[in-house]
Amino acid sequence: MTTRIPDLRRLRHFIAVADAGSFTAAATSLHLSQQALSSSVQQLEKELGAALFTRVGRRVAPTRAGKLLLDEGRTLLAAARTVAQHVERTAAGAEEIYVVGHTPALGGAEVYEIMEPAIEAFAETSFTFRQLYPDQLVDGVLDGTVQLGLRRGVVPTNVLSTAVVSYHRVRLAVPAGHRLAERGMVDIEDLAGERLALWAPPGSSYYSDFLLSACRRAGFEPDYVVSRVQGSATVAAPLTTGAIAFVTTPAGPAMGGRVTVVDLEPELLVGVQALWQRHTSSAVRDAIVAGS
Protein backbone atom coordinates (compact mmCIF):
# COMPACT_ATOMS: atom_id res chain seq x y z
CA MET A 1 0.00 0.00 0.00
CA THR A 2 1.38 3.38 -1.05
CA THR A 3 1.11 6.15 1.54
CA ARG A 4 -0.32 9.36 0.07
CA ILE A 5 1.52 12.60 0.84
CA PRO A 6 -0.87 15.40 1.85
CA ASP A 7 -1.13 18.43 -0.39
CA LEU A 8 0.31 21.43 1.49
CA ARG A 9 -2.41 23.81 0.29
CA ARG A 10 -5.12 21.49 1.53
CA LEU A 11 -3.22 21.00 4.77
CA ARG A 12 -3.22 24.77 5.28
CA HIS A 13 -6.98 24.81 4.69
CA PHE A 14 -7.49 22.04 7.26
CA ILE A 15 -5.46 23.90 9.89
CA ALA A 16 -7.44 27.08 9.27
CA VAL A 17 -10.73 25.23 9.87
CA ALA A 18 -9.37 23.53 13.00
CA ASP A 19 -8.17 26.86 14.40
CA ALA A 20 -11.44 28.65 13.61
CA GLY A 21 -13.68 25.76 14.65
CA SER A 22 -15.90 26.60 11.69
CA PHE A 23 -15.79 26.22 7.92
CA THR A 24 -17.58 29.55 7.54
CA ALA A 25 -15.08 31.53 9.61
CA ALA A 26 -12.11 29.77 8.03
CA ALA A 27 -13.43 30.40 4.51
CA THR A 28 -13.69 34.11 5.30
CA SER A 29 -10.12 34.29 6.60
CA LEU A 30 -8.80 32.40 3.58
CA HIS A 31 -10.89 34.41 1.10
CA LEU A 32 -12.46 31.23 -0.26
CA SER A 33 -16.04 30.14 -0.71
CA GLN A 34 -17.27 27.73 1.94
CA GLN A 35 -17.96 25.17 -0.79
CA ALA A 36 -14.39 25.38 -2.11
CA LEU A 37 -12.96 25.03 1.39
CA SER A 38 -15.21 22.09 2.23
CA SER A 39 -14.20 20.38 -1.01
CA SER A 40 -10.50 20.94 -0.25
CA VAL A 41 -10.79 19.34 3.20
CA GLN A 42 -12.80 16.45 1.80
CA GLN A 43 -10.05 15.81 -0.76
CA LEU A 44 -7.48 15.82 2.05
CA GLU A 45 -9.56 13.30 4.00
CA LYS A 46 -9.73 11.14 0.86
CA GLU A 47 -5.96 11.39 0.38
CA LEU A 48 -5.26 10.33 3.96
CA GLY A 49 -8.12 7.86 4.30
CA ALA A 50 -9.28 9.42 7.56
CA ALA A 51 -12.15 11.56 8.83
CA LEU A 52 -10.58 14.75 10.18
CA PHE A 53 -13.55 16.58 11.71
CA THR A 54 -16.60 15.81 13.77
CA ARG A 55 -19.50 18.21 14.18
CA VAL A 56 -20.19 19.59 17.67
CA GLY A 57 -23.36 21.68 17.49
CA ARG A 58 -22.68 24.48 15.03
CA ARG A 59 -18.94 24.02 15.25
CA VAL A 60 -16.48 21.37 14.13
CA ALA A 61 -13.70 19.76 16.14
CA PRO A 62 -10.79 17.58 15.00
CA THR A 63 -11.15 13.83 15.37
CA ARG A 64 -8.35 11.86 16.97
CA ALA A 65 -6.71 11.57 13.55
CA GLY A 66 -7.38 15.27 12.98
CA LYS A 67 -5.62 16.24 16.22
CA LEU A 68 -2.57 14.26 15.17
CA LEU A 69 -2.57 15.91 11.75
CA LEU A 70 -2.99 19.34 13.36
CA ASP A 71 0.17 18.90 15.46
CA GLU A 72 2.23 17.31 12.70
CA GLY A 73 0.81 19.56 10.00
CA ARG A 74 1.89 22.77 11.70
CA THR A 75 5.50 21.62 11.85
CA LEU A 76 5.34 20.34 8.28
CA LEU A 77 4.07 23.69 6.97
CA ALA A 78 6.68 25.56 8.99
CA ALA A 79 9.43 23.36 7.55
CA ALA A 80 8.09 23.85 4.02
CA ARG A 81 8.18 27.65 4.47
CA THR A 82 11.73 27.46 5.80
CA VAL A 83 12.90 25.33 2.87
CA ALA A 84 11.30 27.74 0.39
CA GLN A 85 12.95 30.73 2.07
CA HIS A 86 16.36 29.06 2.00
CA VAL A 87 16.02 28.20 -1.68
CA GLU A 88 14.94 31.76 -2.53
CA ARG A 89 17.86 33.27 -0.60
CA THR A 90 20.36 30.90 -2.19
CA ALA A 91 19.01 31.56 -5.69
CA ALA A 92 19.26 35.31 -5.09
CA GLY A 93 22.84 34.98 -3.84
CA ALA A 94 21.88 36.49 -0.49
CA GLU A 95 24.23 36.25 2.46
CA GLU A 96 23.38 33.37 4.79
CA ILE A 97 22.40 34.64 8.24
CA TYR A 98 21.93 32.09 11.00
CA VAL A 99 19.69 33.46 13.75
CA VAL A 100 20.10 32.04 17.25
CA GLY A 101 17.39 32.93 19.75
CA HIS A 102 18.00 32.60 23.48
CA THR A 103 16.04 33.28 26.64
CA PRO A 104 17.18 36.00 29.10
CA ALA A 105 18.44 33.34 31.51
CA LEU A 106 21.27 32.69 29.04
CA GLY A 107 23.88 35.41 28.69
CA GLY A 108 25.40 36.43 25.37
CA ALA A 109 28.83 35.07 26.36
CA GLU A 110 27.30 31.68 27.22
CA VAL A 111 25.48 31.58 23.89
CA TYR A 112 28.72 32.42 22.08
CA GLU A 113 30.56 29.58 23.82
CA ILE A 114 27.87 27.12 22.77
CA MET A 115 27.86 28.36 19.17
CA GLU A 116 31.63 28.83 18.84
CA PRO A 117 32.31 25.47 17.10
CA ALA A 118 29.85 26.37 14.33
CA ILE A 119 31.08 29.97 14.11
CA GLU A 120 34.62 28.69 13.51
CA ALA A 121 33.54 25.92 11.12
CA PHE A 122 31.32 28.09 8.88
CA ALA A 123 33.39 31.15 8.14
CA GLU A 124 31.07 32.30 5.31
CA THR A 125 27.99 32.38 7.54
CA SER A 126 26.89 35.43 9.53
CA PHE A 127 25.40 34.78 12.97
CA THR A 128 22.88 36.89 14.84
CA PHE A 129 22.02 36.33 18.52
CA ARG A 130 18.56 37.49 19.56
CA GLN A 131 17.21 37.54 23.12
CA LEU A 132 13.60 36.36 23.33
CA TYR A 133 11.22 35.38 26.10
CA PRO A 134 10.31 31.65 26.15
CA ASP A 135 6.98 31.93 24.30
CA GLN A 136 8.53 34.23 21.68
CA LEU A 137 11.43 31.81 21.28
CA VAL A 138 9.16 28.87 20.46
CA ASP A 139 7.08 30.98 18.07
CA GLY A 140 10.24 32.22 16.34
CA VAL A 141 11.55 28.69 15.81
CA LEU A 142 8.16 27.52 14.54
CA ASP A 143 7.77 30.34 12.01
CA GLY A 144 11.39 30.04 10.82
CA THR A 145 12.62 33.49 11.90
CA VAL A 146 14.90 31.74 14.40
CA GLN A 147 17.01 28.84 13.12
CA LEU A 148 18.07 27.59 16.55
CA GLY A 149 16.60 28.32 19.97
CA LEU A 150 18.49 27.97 23.25
CA ARG A 151 16.85 27.94 26.68
CA ARG A 152 17.57 26.91 30.24
CA GLY A 153 16.23 23.57 31.42
CA VAL A 154 14.87 20.60 29.54
CA VAL A 155 11.24 21.07 28.58
CA PRO A 156 9.32 18.20 26.95
CA THR A 157 7.75 19.12 23.61
CA ASN A 158 6.24 17.21 20.69
CA VAL A 159 6.19 20.25 18.41
CA LEU A 160 9.93 20.90 18.03
CA SER A 161 13.05 18.76 17.93
CA THR A 162 15.34 19.22 20.92
CA ALA A 163 18.73 18.26 22.35
CA VAL A 164 20.71 19.21 25.44
CA VAL A 165 23.84 20.96 24.16
CA SER A 166 25.50 22.15 27.37
CA TYR A 167 25.39 22.10 31.16
CA HIS A 168 26.21 25.06 33.39
CA ARG A 169 26.98 25.11 37.08
CA VAL A 170 24.51 27.11 39.16
CA ARG A 171 25.96 29.62 41.64
CA LEU A 172 24.56 32.35 43.87
CA ALA A 173 24.68 36.11 43.27
CA VAL A 174 24.55 37.75 46.70
CA PRO A 175 24.30 41.49 47.51
CA ALA A 176 27.61 42.84 48.81
CA GLY A 177 27.44 43.02 52.60
CA HIS A 178 25.07 40.09 52.89
CA ARG A 179 26.03 37.51 55.52
CA LEU A 180 26.66 34.89 52.82
CA ALA A 181 28.83 37.13 50.64
CA GLU A 182 31.98 36.42 52.65
CA ARG A 183 31.74 32.67 52.18
CA GLY A 184 33.57 30.87 49.42
CA MET A 185 30.90 28.19 49.39
CA VAL A 186 27.24 28.19 50.42
CA ASP A 187 25.23 25.06 51.16
CA ILE A 188 21.78 25.21 49.57
CA GLU A 189 20.28 24.52 53.02
CA ASP A 190 21.62 27.91 54.13
CA LEU A 191 19.12 29.57 51.77
CA ALA A 192 16.23 28.61 54.03
CA GLY A 193 14.60 31.84 55.17
CA GLU A 194 16.35 33.92 52.49
CA ARG A 195 14.43 35.64 49.69
CA LEU A 196 15.38 34.40 46.23
CA ALA A 197 15.12 36.32 42.95
CA LEU A 198 13.50 34.61 39.95
CA TRP A 199 13.05 35.80 36.37
CA ALA A 200 9.62 34.27 35.90
CA PRO A 201 6.91 32.95 38.23
CA PRO A 202 6.82 29.22 38.99
CA GLY A 203 4.65 27.37 36.52
CA SER A 204 5.52 29.69 33.64
CA SER A 205 9.24 28.85 33.55
CA TYR A 206 10.85 25.44 33.69
CA TYR A 207 14.03 27.09 34.98
CA SER A 208 12.18 28.66 37.92
CA ASP A 209 10.53 25.33 38.68
CA PHE A 210 13.91 23.60 38.49
CA LEU A 211 15.48 26.01 40.98
CA LEU A 212 12.60 25.90 43.44
CA SER A 213 12.54 22.11 43.26
CA ALA A 214 16.22 22.06 44.24
CA CYS A 215 15.33 24.10 47.34
CA ARG A 216 12.47 21.77 48.24
CA ARG A 217 14.75 18.75 47.90
CA ALA A 218 17.02 20.47 50.42
CA GLY A 219 14.14 20.50 52.88
CA PHE A 220 12.66 24.00 52.79
CA GLU A 221 9.95 25.96 51.01
CA PRO A 222 11.65 28.86 49.21
CA ASP A 223 10.58 32.48 49.56
CA TYR A 224 10.93 34.26 46.22
CA VAL A 225 10.36 37.49 44.34
CA VAL A 226 10.18 37.94 40.57
CA SER A 227 12.62 40.56 39.29
CA ARG A 228 10.94 43.73 38.02
CA VAL A 229 13.82 44.36 35.58
CA GLN A 230 13.52 41.83 32.78
CA GLY A 231 16.10 41.12 30.08
CA SER A 232 19.16 42.30 32.02
CA ALA A 233 22.04 40.12 33.19
CA THR A 234 20.88 37.66 35.84
CA VAL A 235 23.75 38.70 38.09
CA ALA A 236 22.17 42.16 38.40
CA ALA A 237 19.01 40.84 40.09
CA PRO A 238 20.27 41.39 43.68
CA LEU A 239 20.60 45.13 42.97
CA THR A 240 16.91 45.61 42.18
CA THR A 241 15.40 42.96 44.45
CA GLY A 242 17.75 42.84 47.42
CA ALA A 243 17.41 39.07 47.08
CA ILE A 244 19.80 36.24 46.25
CA ALA A 245 19.77 35.15 42.61
CA PHE A 246 20.73 31.86 41.03
CA VAL A 247 23.28 32.54 38.28
CA THR A 248 25.73 30.66 36.07
CA THR A 249 28.45 33.34 36.01
CA PRO A 250 31.93 32.64 37.48
CA ALA A 251 32.51 33.07 41.20
CA GLY A 252 33.87 36.42 42.37
CA PRO A 253 32.88 40.09 42.46
CA ALA A 254 30.36 41.37 39.89
CA MET A 255 28.48 44.56 39.03
CA GLY A 256 31.36 46.76 40.13
CA GLY A 257 31.75 44.93 43.43
CA ARG A 258 28.13 45.48 44.50
CA VAL A 259 27.37 41.78 44.00
CA THR A 260 29.40 38.71 44.94
CA VAL A 261 29.01 35.38 43.17
CA VAL A 262 29.69 32.36 45.36
CA ASP A 263 29.70 28.62 44.69
CA LEU A 264 26.70 26.52 45.66
CA GLU A 265 26.88 23.09 47.26
CA PRO A 266 25.97 20.41 46.53
CA GLU A 267 26.85 21.06 42.90
CA LEU A 268 23.77 21.90 40.83
CA LEU A 269 23.94 21.70 37.04
CA VAL A 270 21.30 23.07 34.68
CA GLY A 271 21.07 22.00 31.08
CA VAL A 272 20.80 24.19 27.99
CA GLN A 273 18.21 22.87 25.57
CA ALA A 274 18.44 23.53 21.84
CA LEU A 275 15.21 23.78 19.82
CA TRP A 276 14.71 23.59 16.08
CA GLN A 277 12.09 22.92 13.44
CA ARG A 278 11.33 19.31 12.77
CA HIS A 279 11.67 18.05 9.20
CA THR A 280 14.57 20.44 8.49
CA SER A 281 18.32 19.94 8.08
CA SER A 282 21.20 22.26 8.97
CA ALA A 283 24.95 21.68 8.90
CA VAL A 284 25.37 24.53 11.41
CA ARG A 285 22.94 22.91 13.83
CA ASP A 286 24.57 19.51 13.34
CA ALA A 287 27.92 20.97 14.41
CA ILE A 288 26.40 22.19 17.70
CA VAL A 289 24.41 19.06 18.50
CA ALA A 290 27.26 16.70 17.56
CA GLY A 291 29.64 18.56 19.87
CA SER A 292 27.34 18.39 22.88
Side-chain angles (χ1 to χ4, degrees):
M1 180 178 177
T2 302
T3 300
R4 301 288 297 273
I5 298 175
D7 178 275
L8 293 181
R9 180 178 60 85
R10 291 171 183 155
L11 180 59
R12 185 167 67 89
H13 292 169
F14 159 75
I15 292 174
V17 175
D19 287 342
S22 161
F23 277 88
T24 302
T28 300
S29 67
L30 293 170
H31 305 291
L32 293 173
S33 69
Q34 186 172 337
Q35 182 179 1
L37 180 58
S38 179
S39 175
S40 177
V41 173
Q42 287 174 2
Q43 280 296 116
L44 182 61
E45 290 179 321
K46 184 177 179 180
E47 287 177 350
L48 299 177
L52 300 176
F53 288 110
T54 182
R55 185 163 293 281
V56 181
R58 295 184 177 181
R59 298 179 64 81
V60 294
T63 62
R64 183 179 177 185
K67 290 177 182 177
L68 176 63
L69 181 61
L70 187 59
D71 288 340
E72 293 290 337
R74 291 189 198 280
T75 59
L76 185 59
L77 281 182
R81 285 194 299 269
T82 297
V83 170
Q85 291 166 359
H86 287 176
V87 171
E88 290 174 0
R89 290 183 61 85
T90 300
E95 178 187 26
E96 183 178 358
I97 300 176
Y98 197 86
V99 179
V100 180
H102 64 95
T103 56
L106 276 164
E110 292 172 318
V111 174
Y112 186 90
E113 289 175 358
I114 293 170
M115 296 300 302
E116 191 168 12
I119 292 172
E120 292 181 349
F122 297 90
E124 301 303 316
T125 300
S126 295
F127 291 82
T128 297
F129 297 167
R130 184 179 300 164
Q131 186 185 93
L132 299 167
Y133 293 112
D135 56 339
Q136 297 172 325
L137 181 67
V138 171
D139 289 345
V141 175
L142 282 172
D143 67 22
T145 56
V146 172
Q147 278 70 59
L148 187 70
L150 298 173
R151 66 183 176 190
R152 287 272 187 231
V154 181
V155 185
T157 175
N158 61 356
V159 177
L160 298 170
S161 293
T162 68
V164 177
V165 294
S166 185
Y167 284 95
H168 292 149
R169 182 173 179 176
V170 177
R171 296 184 174 86
L172 301 175
V174 183
H178 190 280
R179 67 180 183 87
L180 299 178
E182 299 302 319
R183 300 191 189 180
M185 191 85 67
V186 173
D187 192 292
I188 193 169
E189 294 180 356
D190 292 334
L191 297 179
E194 296 288 346
R195 175 159 288 192
L196 306 175
L198 300 178
W199 292 98
S204 65
S205 163
Y206 179 89
Y207 187 38
S208 293
D209 294 341
F210 170 82
L211 296 172
L212 296 186
S213 293
C215 295
R216 294 182 181 115
R217 287 196 300 272
F220 67 94
E221 184 62 31
D223 178 26
Y224 67 88
V225 61
V226 177
S227 175
R228 64 184 177 85
V229 181
Q230 295 289 311
S232 66
T234 55
V235 76
L239 299 181
T240 54
T241 63
I244 296 173
F246 292 100
V247 299
T248 55
T249 49
M255 303 304 294
R258 294 178 292 167
V259 173
T260 301
V261 178
V262 297
D263 285 326
L264 177 67
E265 287 291 336
E267 186 176 78
L268 182 62
L269 298 176
V270 61
V272 178
Q273 186 180 40
L275 316 168
W276 65 89
Q277 277 186 358
R278 294 163 59 188
H279 314 303
T280 61
S281 62
S282 166
V284 172
R285 182 181 70 223
D286 290 346
I288 300 303
V289 175
S292 61

